[in-house]
Structure formats: C-alpha cells, structure tokens
C-alpha cells in the first residue's frame, strides 16, 4: 500500500519557490541534490523554473502521472490544492504545512475535511504538519523532506512522530556511517499512521532494523497489533520520551500514580517485543550492531584486547548490563598458549598485547568463535604503531563475515590516520565504537534483544471458575447508586467472585455490632476505620491490629472514634493474620490498551524505594511469573535470611485473576489490593480498593 | 620540579631505531611529526640518522644538554644507559621499556636499583613500563610518547596510570576538538607519581580541567593530600575502573564485603573534591564543558530550543540527573512574548521555533542570562534550512563570552555542511554535543561539581569524653590472647569507652546464670546464642526476642541448645527494646587511607537492596549528616507513613564516634554495629562485631 509513497516515480511540490529560505524551495532543492531518480515537478504559477526544474502553474498542468505531491502552501489553500491533486490522480499527499489539528477546533475541522476529500479521491495523506519521507535506495533517492541530512543507502529504517527527533536519528545514523533505508516523520498522522509504516518496514526485505520514536499513540491497540507483528520479524528499537514528570508535562501524560509517566509505553514495548531505549545515542549505536551482526545465543561474552585498561572498563560495563565473562576451556587456553606471545593473557579476556599480530588476532577470534561457552565477542582494538593494522582489520572482517557469533569492536584510533584500516572494518560490517562503554552497551542491547525474543509466550489463562454475572451485578449496583468507590465489603465480594482470596470483612457502625462481627469471624481480629475520605488508613492511625477479645475491640473502636472525625465513620472487622509477607497488586486503566497491572513486594520497598513492576492486560502465566522475578525484593518471597519463602504460585495466579477481572470489566478504573499477605501455602487480600467509572 | 619534564629543551631517544615498527623509531618520528621545538637526539651506535635527525652513538656523545632521555632498549641494558645519562647530567628519564616490577622479583629488584641510581645522579624517572608525556603547548610540542594521537593545544590536562586508557582520553579530547595541554601516563611510577603530576597540573595556569584515571594507588595518603590541594584550585575529573566484581578481578580489589570493589575510590574522590565518573565518554564530554564554561550557581536550568522533541528528551535527562527546569518570571515571559513569534513557547523551555531568527535567539538568551531563578542554559539547536544560522551562532557565541552562566548546546546538524556555523560556535567556546542526552549530562556534571565544591566542610569533631586508655587495654587483652574476634561483652565494653550507646549484655553458660543476668538487666530480655563460628545469628534461629520472665528465658535457652550445636555455646542476655528503626553502622580498614565507614537504614534495605553509603575516616559532622541523607531509605528516619521519626542527631554522633574509635585504633580491621536501634530520643547498639588484626 505504501510502496508508491516510499518509491515514487514522480514528485510534485505544490508551493515550490525560488525563495531560498522557504520549505517549497528546500524540498525541491533536496530532491535535486539527493539525486532523485524520478521526475521532479515544482508547481508555482509565478515561476518558470525552480532549482533547475521546469515549473508548472498547477498540478493539473503536469504532463505525466504524479505519485507523490507535497503541499507546502498555507493551510487555508490546502483543500483547493487537494481537489486538483485528486482530479490529477495523485496517489499520495505529503502535507508539510502546519495550521491543522495542532492549532485548535478550526484546524481540526480542516484536517477532517482533508481526510474526507482525500478518501473520496483514493489518495493517502502523510501529515499534515510533518517532514515527510526519505528513501535512500540508489534506485530511488527520494528526499521528500525539508531537513538537511543526506544519508547513504543502508539497512536501518526510521519512523518518528517528532520531526526534530527523527532528524536527530537520521543524522546519528549518517554520522555512524551505517546507512539508512527509509525515513518517515508523520506529524499529525491524519491518515498514514506509525503502525502502517511499521508494517511496511516489516515487510521490506532490505530493512534489517527499525528505529521507532513516539510521543504517544493515537490508537494504542492498532499500534500494539502492528508492533507485535513486525517485532516478530525483525528488531524494532523503540524510544518514547517523557519518562520523567517534567518530561511528561512536555508531552501527554498517559498514566497516573505509581505507574508513572511513560511507564505504559515501556510495558507496551516489552509486551510486543520492541527493544526499549531511553537514550538516542545508545539506540543509534545499538542499531549499528543490529544492522550487521547476528543475534547472540546468550549472555556470555568473550573479550579480545590489545591493551589492558580499556578491557577493565569494558568488563565493568558488560557486567553492569548483566552480561558474563566466563573462563574458557582448557583446550581453548592451550591453543592460545601455543599461538600467542608468552606474555599474552590466554584466558578470557584474551590480551594479545599491543604487539599482537594479525595471525594472533585471528587465532584468538577463531578460538572464541568455536568455544561453546561463549555467545558473543567483544574486541578492544587500539591501532598500535608497531603492527600491520590493515592485516588485523582484514582478519576481523573475515571472521565477522562468517556470522557465527556477533562481534562489536571498541576501535581506539585516530580515524583520519587509519583510513584504510577503518574502511576494511566498515566493509566487513564490524560495528566500531569510540569508547569501551558504548561498544559494551551495543553488545548488551543485542543480548537484551536475544532474551526478549526468547521470552516465554503463552496465551493468558481463562479461569472458568469465576462468577462473572455476580461481579457484574455488584459493580452495576454501585454504579446505579452514583458512587465510584466500592466499600470494603463490596470490594471483597467482587474479589470473591473471581476467586481472589480475601480475608472476610464485616462492617459495623457501633460497638455492639463490631463485637458480634468479631465473634463470627473469630479472634484475633483487626479493627479499621472506614469512611469515604480515608485513603491512607495507617497514616491516620486508623488500624488497630491483634484485638484478642471483645474488650480489645471496644477499646480499639473508642480510640478510633477519638482520632478520626468523619460523619460517615464506620468500622471494618477482619481476621488478624500475623506474619507472612506483604505484597501489593494493583490495576489501573490504560486508555486504549486495557489495564496496567502493578506488582510489588513489601510495604517500604513499594512506597519508598519504588521497587514495583508493571504489565499490560491480559497477563499470561509466564508474564506474571516474570513480574515477581523482576522486583529487587523477589528474594523476600523465595526465602531470605532464614525466613521461609511464600506461595509464589498463588501470587502468580492472583495476578492473572486480577487481570481477567479488569479485562472483563473495563468500567474498573483503578484497583489496589494492598496489602495481600502471602504465607507459605496461601495468600490473602487484606485490603482492597476499587474505583469504577462514573 | 616537573617543569623541565613537561617543557624540555632537548630530548634524547636511547634505542632510537630505523625499524619502522619499533618504539624507538615511533618516538623519534612522533617528536619530528608533532613539530617538537627543542633538540631531538636519537641515540643508536649503528645508525647515522633516524627520521632525518643526526644520530649519536651514546648519550655522552650528544653535544648539548639533555633535559629528557627516553630509554627504550631492553630492560637488562637500562642500568648501563642510566649511568651514562647520569654522567651526562640528564634531568629526566622516561623508561618506556617493560620488564620491571610487573614481571616479578627480579624485575622489582632491577626497578629498585634504577630508582637508587637515578636518585644518586639527581635524575627523575617516569615509568618504567610507560608511555611517557606529551605537551601540546605550541612553544614546546613535545611528543615524548609512542601513541598516535596528535592533539591540538588546549586547556585539559590528562594523567593516567594505564596507557591504553590514557590514549583513549587523549583521542576523545582530540575528537571533541577541545584541545589538550599536558598528557602523562605513568606506568609503574617508580619515581614520578600521579600525585606529583596532579600538583604540577594544579599549579599550571593554562590547565583549566584535569582528567585523572587510576587503577589503584601506591600511596593513597599522598594521593589524598595532592587531590585535596589540587581539587580546591580547579576541576579534577576522576575515574577508576574495576567497580564490578569481574572488573575488580581484572585490577586489584581494595575493599571486601558490602563496601564492594572500587567503592573506596569513589569515596576518596568525593572526600577530596574530585568529580567522579564511571564512563570515559561522559567524562570527556564533561571536560569539554569545564574547559570553557563557568560553574553554575545552582541546579536550575533554562532551556532554549528550536524543535520540540529533542527538548523533551533533554528534559527527561536533566530531571533524571536531579536538575530542575523552573518556570520563569512574568517579566521574562512578557519580554519573550514581545520578541518571539506569536506561536513560540515563551516559558521554560523557550521554543523559538525552527524559523526563529538570530535576534530572537539572542532575546531568549538575554532573558535567561538575566533571570535570577536560572543558573545555567541548555540550548537545543538544530540548524534549519530557513534561517541565517551563522548569525544565530554569532549570538550564542557572544553571550557565551560574557561568562554569566554556563551554556551547553545540543547542536543537531550535519557538520560538513555547516562548517562556518560550527566554527563560530567552537571559537565562542560553546560546548556542542551531538545528542540531547550527552549535552544534558555535561551540564549535570557542571552542576554536580558546583554542589561538590560547595559541600559543607568542617574539621572532624574530637570527642574528649572517651576513655581511650581503657579501650586500648581491652583491645590489647584480646590481642595478647591471640584472638581476633571480640566477644559481645568485649565489643560492648569497647563501644562504651567511646560513649557509643550499647544495650547491656551479660553472658551466661547455664540457665541459672542466665536467669540471674535477666533479673539484673530487667525483663523483657533477648536471649542470643553466642559461639565463635556463629556469624548470622538470625538465620540460624539463634535469637529469641521478648522473654518476659524467667520461664521464658529457660525455654529460650533449651530451644537454642537444641537448634545449635557448638562446643563453646554460651548465651548473651540483653534488654529487649521493641519498636524503633534498625540501622547499620560499619567500619572496615582501607589500606593506607584509614577506615571506610558504612551506614544503612533498615535490615532488608541494607542486605537485599544494597541501600548503603560509605565515607572515609575521619568523618566530620556534615559528612555523617550527608551519609544519612544519601540513603534512599532516609525518610524511614525522619518519619514515614505516619510512623514517627528517630533521633538522627544521635545517629550522626555515633557515626563520628565510630570514626574516632577506629582512627584511634588502626588495629581494628572490621567493626559492625548491626543493628543499632534508633528511637525518637536515643539510639542503642544491639549487636556489635569487632575484628582486630592478628
């Protein structure tokens, strides 16, 4: 569908201009300068030629067909131009002009009209308020864009909502010398969307890695489908800015509370198989490795170095990223001992010394490539003045071409002096980095991708023992009463419908009722204050634990009445369950994506140290298990410092049941099970808070 | 003292060679190629000239004086060459050759002999097993080094133990185009040491920032003195590799246990005022900012951008680093509203738009430079094809030269196309970065340095109420008994001597004694198993809390006897203190530096999440306070979620008293107060473990 957009045979520029500092001029000039192989048709009734190209008074006056027409005249003239393009049979419009949806109601209306009329004519629209597209393929060289970076042909394709960031990526890819295939910056994306472009890149054989930058998603579900489909085919490297509060302010904030801004995108990326980055530089440098190297089978790195210090720095960085630098086999060591200098270091890291010859480099490479306990190779290569560096580069390139295991290289040199050596490495497809850390991080990204691609995927379990009808009735009742917050009893009932274990709770307004409730539940009990405005009970002293008899319950209640003044104050009586581990499970609605499920272990760990993880619904068994294993305080659950472990299987099940509950009832806006107390053979919700939509 | 070394009038190369791939040839060629302004004297009895320079059969045959002589002949001939140099009156030797201390006992002996004979002649020695030095000053241009990077003259000086990493720094500084002043790589450093070079750089007026890389310290105390002295004069940027376990294996591990490898260096850096980095790239990019920009007064950043997306990325990165992006004053906003385009964003970040003119850029810069609530300026500058970019660059450069507040610039461009603009920015001293994140991190480094330089410094308190003599006697007694581990009672006694509050403890071997002890202490008590091999009492179930009467004590003891089999099993009886917050204070010997003091709050926080901080003795009041404030769990101490705060002043005092105790007694190898329980008005050590040297 987008084939003609990215590979047009002809491009018209409506609003082409002779004025050097105008968009219409820049686009025409870019097409000429970049060597576009198709026909260039500047459209301007007042000029004869622009940038050496004959000019046409209107798009209708163009002799041949028009695959792509830029519209870079003021927004108010867009519709007229569009009509002419429609009549001409133009296939794609790139509307560079601003002044549409981003400016308010009138602009939005204009944009809607553009979409409507374009559909009428069967034209596709990129933008408005966008840069456009670029194709680096030598057979096309279409620079339908007003930026200034002229990339070489390569295997990385870029799609970015923000033109500024898109241009940054294009420039970085260009500076890294790895070449680009397609570029698109979508702006308002009224028609041609990021998911559609993603799919196009996914189907393009020459695209080996995709760079994706987003600031938000118009249709998250559509994005999710496309991302899942494409990420299954090739590496998609994704970044979304706005991860800090201040950063999120600058874009649209999607999530609230603990989930934090931008958090859902990270979860969305992981769930669909997109490799997530926080950093433009790191992402581009990773793209360089993805563009030429195979994916490692695991996280065990073999290092080859010709100088000591930088290998230590690389080791630090690799280990920080969770990679391992294991020892190598006796057999491998004996081969190295035979081939390298006597002073060389023959275990991992292998130090061939600054005087190491090309043959010795090759021997080290061969050993690591054949070593079963090594998944990838990191080379620290300084170009000493004592050896034949071109020969070394040739050996590295030869081994790289075999594509047995990925190679990255910290190439420490003065490039202008070592042009031939640099060219050999580049031609060999070796991703070369200026710093030990950047090379290490690129290898870490390849390894992280291997783990992501290999993650356990299962369809989510559908529990059939739930009472969906009763849950629906419970929620409906609250809704009909015009409330949004469920009472403790209602929340407990809801959980019970989905077989989520909850400590029985009874509400009492007075001491006599409370005593009776406690008698029924069985001592010891907990007495909690319950009122509409109380959120953090503990902080207000609103919880009295371990009441062992009726007197204790009455004492507790009078104490609570003294401390807390609320017109609707009532008391919740619940079984007291000492011991166990506190965990927290939450769910919050994530517009267009379902719900974001939260998990954390421990009270302070969650609230003070933020040791929580998130997953999007529906949560599968392996995903729930991965959530548990991803918190730092996981050892608290498996047994720590002599304390016994808890029933993690039960927690995994509760997470999945919560996922099913909120998926079945999108009207649930927020839900917090806090705490759930986990014991050796069970886990029980002590307090649940459920908020529904008005 | 090192003036002549770094600015020699003549350099001899003993071992100069016509063989292209030899060190002796490379050094001679480098001196010629780099345009050394002094006399070059190759020494080789078998050659007439090398690299166009007349050759001498021996150093004694050289007509003029010799300031620096390289020795790059095999180690075994070094002493003969040294004698000749001594007789000649050479001032400095740079011994490039390897084969000394790093090879074992014989090499160490040879190195000692070198030092001895050099001292005899009054010669200073750089190395052996080193690269040497480089001076970029146009009046000197001494490239006494066999590497290949030929830096321009500038204001950054580098000193590195590892030649490989030193060369990496030199290349990075060169690639960043900021120029270098001095370079030194010291290798074995048998005579001229890193501290000495640091001092030389500190006294050098043209050195504005120092880059320091170390893998360990021969004389940490000497380093500490020099670092403190130099860091007070100018920014010293420091890095030490080996911060991970695997990385530390590759160098020498200095600390054990929780302190972790390389941790002491980080503490040492902070204590002396060196700005610490983990990352070569980040450090070099920070050096670029330090080389030309003033130090900010605080952490409030004003942003100017001409494109939206990259400003969001910058915001994320700045906020992650603890910087703030505050709103600006009404007055500032109204000036911007008047000067910028109507669609421009006139608060912080200021978006001048891609069509923003030079005058508008200047207006935005002036506003932020004059705004009292802004400490530094971050510019996001993409070079649009629509404006006069050279004019924009000129305005930025003009404002930068006023040096009112530091400026960093994320300069998004294709440099080969924008040479003139780039040159204007460079000449204006604007640190330009390729990525929003790297620019943000450089600004964060300037800001971090401002905070470090402004840290509260006080001499450590000397507590005069301590009983040093009794403590000495206690330690001496244990030592004389041939033990290294103090008993609970001995440890408690030691703490009491230094007025560190400790819960009284009595030891009993049998139930009757225990009951009597409990009676004396007062119920409730804790009963703990005590035996030489028990380290983690809790894990073994060796602690019984809250024994409220004699029966409980007897019960506890029989339980302990059942669970724990140790020939020397005894029982420690201690007052039971429920409630309060657990904290941990530790000390471990740090060779040559005193002791490393550790602080952490909470049990799990320390052991599972590693939320601990370190400081070197002697710890001052502000340093101890800073330790408390630096743990993530600090809010646990000041009051969290309704729980009251504890006596932090008392904790600060205990840290200082522990510092004084271990400083008074270097024989204390390790000491752990774990836990100390802090209450609202006191803090009491519950368990102390003290290990002394044999």
């Amino acid at each position: 569908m987008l084939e003609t957009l990215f590979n047009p045979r002809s491009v018209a520029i409506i609003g082409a201009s002779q004025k050097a500092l105008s968009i219409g001029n820049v686009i025409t000039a870019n097409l000429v300068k970049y060597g576009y192989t198709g026909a260039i048709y500047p459209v301007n009734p007042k000029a004869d030629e622009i940038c050496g190209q004959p000019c046409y008074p209107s798009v209708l006056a163009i002799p041949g067909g028009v695959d792509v027409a830029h519209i870079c005249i003021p927004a108010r003239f867009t519709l007229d131009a569009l009509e002419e393009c429609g009549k001409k049979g133009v296939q794609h419009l790139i509307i560079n002009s601003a002044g549409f949806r981003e400016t308010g109601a009138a602009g939005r209306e204009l944009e809607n009209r553009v979409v409507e009329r374009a559909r009428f004519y069967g034209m596709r629209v990129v933008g408005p308020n966008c840069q456009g597209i670029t194709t680096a393929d030598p057979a096309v060289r279409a620079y339908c864009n007003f930026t200034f970076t002229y990339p070489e042909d390569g295997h990385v394709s870029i799609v970015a909502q923000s033109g500024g960031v898109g241009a940054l990526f294009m420039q970085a890819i260009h500076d890294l010398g790895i070449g680009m295939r397609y570029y698109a910056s979508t702006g308002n994306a009224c028609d041609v969307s990021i998911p559609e472009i993603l799919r196009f890149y996914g189907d393009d054989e020459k695209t080996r890695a995709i760079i994706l930058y987003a600031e938000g998603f118009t249709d998250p579900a559509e994005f999710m489908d496309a991302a899942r489909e494409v990420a299954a085919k090739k590496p998609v490297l994704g970044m979304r800015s706005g991860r800090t509060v201040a950063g999120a302010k600058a874009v649209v904030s999607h999530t609230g509370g603990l989930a934090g801004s931008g958090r859902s995108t990270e979860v969305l990326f992981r769930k669909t198989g997109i490799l997530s980055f926080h950093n433009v530089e790191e992402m581009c440098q990773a793209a360089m490795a993805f563009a030429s190297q195979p994916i490692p089978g695991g996280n065990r790195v073999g290092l080859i170095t010709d100088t000591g210090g930088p290998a230590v720095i690389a080791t630090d960085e690799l280990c920080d990223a969770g990679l391992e630098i294991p020892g190598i086999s006796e057999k491998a060591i004996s081969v190295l001992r035979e081939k390298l200098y006597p002073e060389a270091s023959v275990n991992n890291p292998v130090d061939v010394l600054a005087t190491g010859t090309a043959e010795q480099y090759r021997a080290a490479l061969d050993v690591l490539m054949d070593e079963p306990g090594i998944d990838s190779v990191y080379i620290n290569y300084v170009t000493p003045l004592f050896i034949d560096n071109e020969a070394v580069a040739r050996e590295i390139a030869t081994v790289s071409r075999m594509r047995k295991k990925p190679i990255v290289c910290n190439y420490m040199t003065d490039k202008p002096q070592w042009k031939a050596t640099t060219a050999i490495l580049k031609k060999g497809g070796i991703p070369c980095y200026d710093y030990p850390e950047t090379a290490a991080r690129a290898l870490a990204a390849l390894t992280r991708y291997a783990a992501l691609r290999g993650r356990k995927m299962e369809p989510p379990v559908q529990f059939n023992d739930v009472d969906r009808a009763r849950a629906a009735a419970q929620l409906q009742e609250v809704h009909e009463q015009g409330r949004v917050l469920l009472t403790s009893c209602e929340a407990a009932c809801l959980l019970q419908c989905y077989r989520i274990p909850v400590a029985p709770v009874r509400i009492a307004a007075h001491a006599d009722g409370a005593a009776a409730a406690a008698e029924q539940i069985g001592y010891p009990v907990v007495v909690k204050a319950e009122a509409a405005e109380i959120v953090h009970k503990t902080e207000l002293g609103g919880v009295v634990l371990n009441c062992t008899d009726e007197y204790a319950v009455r004492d507790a209640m009078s104490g609570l009445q003294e401390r807390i003044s609320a017109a609707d104050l009532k008391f919740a009586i619940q079984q007291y369950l000492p011991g166990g581990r506190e965990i927290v499970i939450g769910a919050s609605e994530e517009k267009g994506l379902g719900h974001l499920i939260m998990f954390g272990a421990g009270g302070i760990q969650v609230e003070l140290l933020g040791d929580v993880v998130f997953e999007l619904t529906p949560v599968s068994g392996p995903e729930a298990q991965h959530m548990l294993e991803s918190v730092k305080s996981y050892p608290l659950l498996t047994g720590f410092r002599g304390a016994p472990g808890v029933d993690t299987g039960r927690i995994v099940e509760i997470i999945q049941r919560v996922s099913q509950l909120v998926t079945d009832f999108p009207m649930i806006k927020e839900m917090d099970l806090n705490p759930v107390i986990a014991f050796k053979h069970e886990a029980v919700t002590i307090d649940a808070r459920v908020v529904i939509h008005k």
Side-chain angles (χ1 to χ4, degrees), chain A residues 124-369:
Chain A
R124 301 301 311 274
V125 182
V126 178
N129 187 25
C130 77
Q131 279 179 2
I133 65 104
T134 300
T135 299
D137 189 331
V140 183
R141 303 279 290 177
Y143 205 100
C144 300
N145 186 347
F146 53 77
T147 56
F148 49 75
T149 310
Y150 307 108
E152 284 173 47
D153 181 39
H155 301 285
V156 176
S157 290
I158 300 169
V159 58
Q161 189 169 357
S162 152
V165 178
L168 189 60
F169 277 112
M170 179 154 57
Q171 184 66 42
I173 291 299
H174 182 56
D175 289 344
L176 288 169
I178 49 176
M180 191 190 83
R181 181 149 172 81
Y182 294 128
Y183 173 87
S185 175
T186 54
N188 293 8
C190 74
D191 177 25
V192 174
S193 66
I194 288 185
E196 202 177 354
I197 294 169
L198 258 189
R199 283 201 167 98
F200 176 74
Y201 291 173
D203 291 337
D204 174 53
E205 263 186 34
K206 288 193 183 157
T207 295
R208 288 190 198 151
I210 298 171
I211 282 180
L212 163 78
Y213 176 80
E215 288 176 349
F217 301 102
T218 323
D219 184 344
E222 185 200 1
F223 174 80
M224 196 146 176
D225 285 346
R228 222 189 276 264
E229 186 189 314
V230 177
K233 291 185 203 170
K234 57 185 71 168
V236 182
L237 284 52
M239 176 169 164
R240 179 193 186 277
S241 57
R243 67 177 196 278
T244 62
V245 176
K249 254 200 214 161
V251 288
V252 186
S253 172
H254 285 263
T255 53
L258 267 170
S261 36
R263 180 90 66 167
S264 62
T265 312
E266 204 125 321
V267 177
L268 174 61
F269 280 178
R270 191 184 60 229
K271 203 170 178 88
T272 54
I274 293 177
L275 196 64
S276 176
F277 290 82
H278 282 171
N279 188 305
V280 179
E281 181 182 28
E282 198 174 327
M283 186 155 149
C284 292
Q285 285 172 335
M288 173 151 75
F290 279 105
S292 69
Q293 293 299 310
I295 305 304
N299 74 339
R300 300 161 304 174
V301 187
L303 271 89
I304 301 176
T305 189
D306 58 358
T307 173
V312 179
I313 297 174
T315 300
D316 275 342
E317 197 74 27
L318 290 166
C319 293
D320 264 357
L323 280 71
E324 284 171 30
I325 303 170
I328 52 175
S329 66
E330 273 309 315
K331 196 185 133 202
I333 289 173
S334 75
V335 172
L336 291 173
R337 196 169 284 136
E338 183 191 320
K339 305 252 173 133
L340 305 189
Y341 288 125
E343 307 81 28
S345 169
V346 293
N347 206 323
N348 190 15
V350 180
D351 190 341
V352 298
L353 306 181
T355 45
T357 63
E359 293 69 34
Q360 291 173 334
Y361 256 100
R362 177 59 186 268
L365 281 163
D366 284 343
V367 159
L368 294 181
M369 286 292 162

Side-chain angles (χ1 to χ4, degrees), chain A residues 12-19 22 24-25 28 41-50 53-62 70 72-73 84:
Chain A
I13 306 99
I14 300 169
S17 163
Q18 286 170 332
K19 223 180 85 199
S22 72
N25 180 274
T28 314
Y41 301 124
V43 175
N44 184 334
K46 292 177 195 157
D48 290 335
E49 64 92 35
I50 291 171
Q53 307 296 310
C55 204
Y56 299 86
S58 98
V59 76
L60 291 167
I62 293 170
H70 279 274
C72 33
I73 51 179
E84 291 196 346

